[in-house]
């Protein structure tokens, strides 16, 4: 999302892309924070954009993330409390696929 929001020419470059007003937001995080607060604390997006959207983004349900200590930086280990239970990678992949299907159905996302 960060890269997308920084590209003012996105609609011109990709004419078939839907409007931002039609966008559905969802995702995972290993930290149990509302999305707006997480975006604010991580500083991945422009501060002013997060300031404008924070309250609305806090209403978005963030699904538990998959924990892989070898992939996630040491600084995030302590805060990783919002995670899918440990399982073999194939099972974790199936879990994420189920999450995506449920999210798509709940948000009415097709395609």
């Amino acid at each position: 999302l960060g890269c997308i929001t920084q590209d003012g020419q996105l609609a011109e470059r990709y004419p078939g892309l839907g409007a931002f007003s039609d966008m559905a937001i969802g995702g995972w995080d290993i930290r149990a924070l509302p999305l707006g607060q997480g975006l604010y604390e991580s500083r991945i997006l422009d501060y002013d954009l997060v300031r404008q959207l924070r309250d609305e983004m806090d209403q978005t349900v963030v699904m538990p993330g998959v924990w892989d200590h070898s992939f996630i930086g040491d600084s995030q280990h302590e805060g990783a409390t919002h995670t899918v239970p440990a399982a073999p990678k194939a099972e974790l992949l199936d879990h994420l696929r189920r999450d995506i299907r449920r999210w798509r159905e709940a948000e009415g996302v097709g395609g």
Side-chain angles (χ1 to χ4, degrees):
L1 180 62
C3 295
I4 291 172
T5 61
Q6 301 305 312
D7 188 345
Q9 306 300 316
L10 195 65
E12 293 172 21
R13 286 157 100 206
Y14 304 99
L17 190 66
F20 278 114
S21 60
D22 295 333
M23 187 184 305
I25 304 293
W28 302 268
D29 199 344
I30 60 170
R31 300 177 311 149
L33 293 175
L35 180 58
Q37 181 180 345
L39 289 169
Y40 174 78
E41 289 182 10
S42 66
R43 305 286 196 257
I44 339 183
L45 298 177
D46 179 71
Y47 167 80
D48 195 49
L49 176 64
V50 173
R51 181 190 57 75
Q52 293 173 58
L53 298 174
R54 184 174 179 178
D55 290 342
E56 186 175 346
M57 296 302 271
D58 277 344
Q59 304 307 311
T60 301
V61 175
V62 179
M63 296 173 275
V66 170
W67 169 255
D68 181 344
H69 69 86
S70 65
F71 180 74
I72 296 168
D74 291 343
S75 66
Q76 294 190 40
H77 288 206
E78 187 177 318
T81 60
H82 189 62
T83 60
V84 174
K89 289 186 179 180
E91 289 179 28
L92 293 172
L93 178 60
D94 287 341
H95 182 96
L96 294 176
R97 286 177 172 157
R98 285 190 304 275
D99 280 353
I100 292 168
R101 283 190 210 91
R102 282 191 297 266
W103 175 82
R104 286 181 64 183
E105 186 174 319
E107 295 294 328
V109 175

